[in-house]
């Protein structure tokens, strides 16, 4: 055994090969694979994100109708932002949509994930997961067209069952009171499945030993949920909330298909207003200014979320 170790030692003296530092040429060659891998993403970000962002900021200081060269007008578009009552209404609609849709999506997804994390037969678990995740795979335009039939005033399925219990027909899509809640219902049905899967993956990553220790201490199921599940699941809850809040601030296609922003401006969102100004009124400069204002709002909301998250999100 001793002889084997002696022969395994590296040779000493002048014949011992010295480890040489890689040359500058060698380091450049070793960096090429990494550069090639990040190049498509970098080019895509520069062309489809950075360049449009810079052009949008530039056009926001101009008067531009897409057909003639842009003419600089200073801060005129931004002065008009404060006087635009329609823009104010679209911001209010978007804020109401966020307040309704985001808590409903995250709360319902959390309840579903906790329910699916309990013991049940395999086929039942797969069936429930597929049923709730299936709407996330279907195109939103197709889903919105189907929901138009559900929400019809005269022949809709919702009003049919409400009529059975004596509730009069609800004008889901033609009433300024119910148009925005109807879009929220569609959004929750469409998106709750993805949040459910993310939270379910987080739940399955929580070690069982915490629940066993809580049970030995006599903690009830609600106490375990509040003191074990929510703190350890807080990173996933924060991620889903941030994802859905940014999506809610940019809601567009479901509104176009269901209500087209009506009746009046009661369900019109900020992004839909930007689209109308840019491609229907051809006031591209003002649309760019509204886009910049929305970008600032999203940035402020996201920064506040990260600021507040320090108090309730726990990372192991």
């Amino acid at each position: 055994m001793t002889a084997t170790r002696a022969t395994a030692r590296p040779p000493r003296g002048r014949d011992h090969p010295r480890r040489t530092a890689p040359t500058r040429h060698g380091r450049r060659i070793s960096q090429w694979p990494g550069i090639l891998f990040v190049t498509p993403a970098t080019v895509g970000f520069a062309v489809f994100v950075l360049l449009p962002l810079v052009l949008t900021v530039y056009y926001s200081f101009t008067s531009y109708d897409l057909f003639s060269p842009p003419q600089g007008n200073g801060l005129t578009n931004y002065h008009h932002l404060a006087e635009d009552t329609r823009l104010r209404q679209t911001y209010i609609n978007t804020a109401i949509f966020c307040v309704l849709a985001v808590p409903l999506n995250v709360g319902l997804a959390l309840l579903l994930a906790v329910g699916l994390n309990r013991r049940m037969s395999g086929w039942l678990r797969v069936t429930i997961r597929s049923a709730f995740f299936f709407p996330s795979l279907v195109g939103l335009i197709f889903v919105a067209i189907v929901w138009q039939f559900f929400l019809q005033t005269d022949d809709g399925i919702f009003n049919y069952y409400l009529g059975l219990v004596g509730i009069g027909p609800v004008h889901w899509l033609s009433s300024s009171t119910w148009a925005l809640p109807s879009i929220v219902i569609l959004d929750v049905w469409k998106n709750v499945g993805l949040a459910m899967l993310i939270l379910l993956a987080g739940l399955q990553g929580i070690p069982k030993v915490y629940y066993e220790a809580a049970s030995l201490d006599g903690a009830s199921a609600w106490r375990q949920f509040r003191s074990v599940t929510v703190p350890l699941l807080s990173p996933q809850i924060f991620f889903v909330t941030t994802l859905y809040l940014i999506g809610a601030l940019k809601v567009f296609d479901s509104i176009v298909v269901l209500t087209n922003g009506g009746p009046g401006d009661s369900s019109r969102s900020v992004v839909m207003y930007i689209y109308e100004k840019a491609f229907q009124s051809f006031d591209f400069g003002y649309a760019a200014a509204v886009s910049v204002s929305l970008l600032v709002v999203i940035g402020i909301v996201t920064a506040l979320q990260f600021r507040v998250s320090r108090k309730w999100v726990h990372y192991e």
Side-chain angles (χ1 to χ4, degrees):
M1 190 69 180
T2 305
T4 305
R5 288 181 179 177
T7 55
R9 290 178 181 176
R12 296 179 179 178
R14 293 180 179 179
D15 297 334
H16 177 67
R18 292 182 178 180
R19 183 177 295 176
T20 58
T23 62
R24 181 177 298 179
H25 179 69
R27 287 198 297 269
R28 286 180 178 176
I29 292 177
S30 65
Q31 291 172 354
W32 270 111
I35 294 174
L36 290 176
F37 274 114
V38 301
T39 296
T42 304
V43 172
F45 175 80
V47 173
F48 297 108
V49 178
L50 190 59
L51 179 61
L53 178 63
V54 172
L55 290 176
T56 300
V57 174
Y58 166 70
Y59 288 136
S60 69
F61 294 100
T62 66
S63 177
Y64 183 37
D65 61 0
L66 294 178
F67 301 104
S68 55
Q71 302 292 328
N73 61 2
L75 297 175
T76 303
N77 292 328
Y78 289 97
H79 288 159
H80 186 45
L81 288 178
E83 304 168 354
D84 193 345
T85 56
R86 290 191 67 200
L87 175 63
R88 195 175 307 142
Q89 181 62 47
T90 59
Y91 265 113
I92 293 173
N93 294 339
T94 305
I96 294 174
F97 182 83
C98 292
V99 170
L100 294 177
V102 176
L104 281 175
N105 266 311
V106 178
L108 184 58
L110 182 59
L111 290 177
L112 291 171
V114 171
L116 286 173
N117 197 41
R118 294 181 177 276
R119 290 182 179 179
M120 62 177 66
S121 59
W123 67 269
L124 181 60
R125 181 183 291 109
V126 172
T127 303
I128 296 176
R129 286 182 188 178
S130 304
F132 282 100
F133 187 67
F134 175 74
S136 302
L137 304 176
V138 183
L140 182 58
I141 301 299
F142 172 75
V143 171
I145 291 174
V146 172
W147 273 78
Q148 274 187 326
F149 294 101
F150 289 174
L151 298 170
Q152 289 290 333
T153 302
D154 298 328
D155 304 325
I157 296 176
F158 283 10
N159 279 343
Y160 171 75
Y161 286 106
L162 289 176
L164 294 180
V165 295
I167 299 177
V170 178
H171 300 272
W172 295 102
L173 302 177
S174 58
S175 165
S176 58
T177 303
W178 288 104
L180 203 55
S182 301
I183 300 168
V184 171
I185 294 172
L186 167 65
D187 182 82
V188 173
W189 183 83
K190 176 76 171 60
N191 296 319
V192 72
L194 178 61
M196 178 195 70
L197 284 186
I198 295 173
L199 295 179
L200 182 59
L203 280 174
Q204 293 178 348
I206 298 177
K208 301 295 182 186
V209 63
Y210 294 117
Y211 295 102
E212 294 171 358
S215 298
L216 291 176
D217 290 340
S220 62
W222 169 248
R223 180 69 177 177
Q224 292 181 27
F225 174 78
R226 190 162 57 90
S227 301
V228 178
T229 303
V230 173
L232 294 179
L233 197 63
S234 56
Q236 288 79 14
I237 296 175
F238 173 65
F239 171 73
V240 170
T241 304
T242 304
L243 188 70
Y244 278 39
L245 181 56
I246 294 176
L249 287 169
K250 300 186 298 181
V251 60
F252 172 73
D253 38 11
S254 58
I255 295 178
V256 171
V257 177
L258 278 183
T259 64
N260 198 26
D265 286 332
S266 61
S267 62
R268 198 175 309 278
S269 67
V270 178
V271 176
M272 188 176 177
Y273 188 61
I274 292 171
Y275 171 80
E276 290 180 359
K277 284 293 178 183
F279 301 107
Q280 294 181 357
S281 302
F282 298 106
D283 192 356
F284 203 81
Y286 184 64
V290 178
S291 302
V292 172
S293 73
L294 180 60
L295 176 66
V296 172
V297 169
I298 292 176
I300 292 174
V301 170
T302 305
L304 287 176
Q305 273 194 298
F306 276 92
R307 181 79 176 179
V308 175
S309 69
R310 299 175 185 173
K311 297 181 179 179
W312 66 275
V313 178
H314 304 279
Y315 296 99
E316 289 183 328

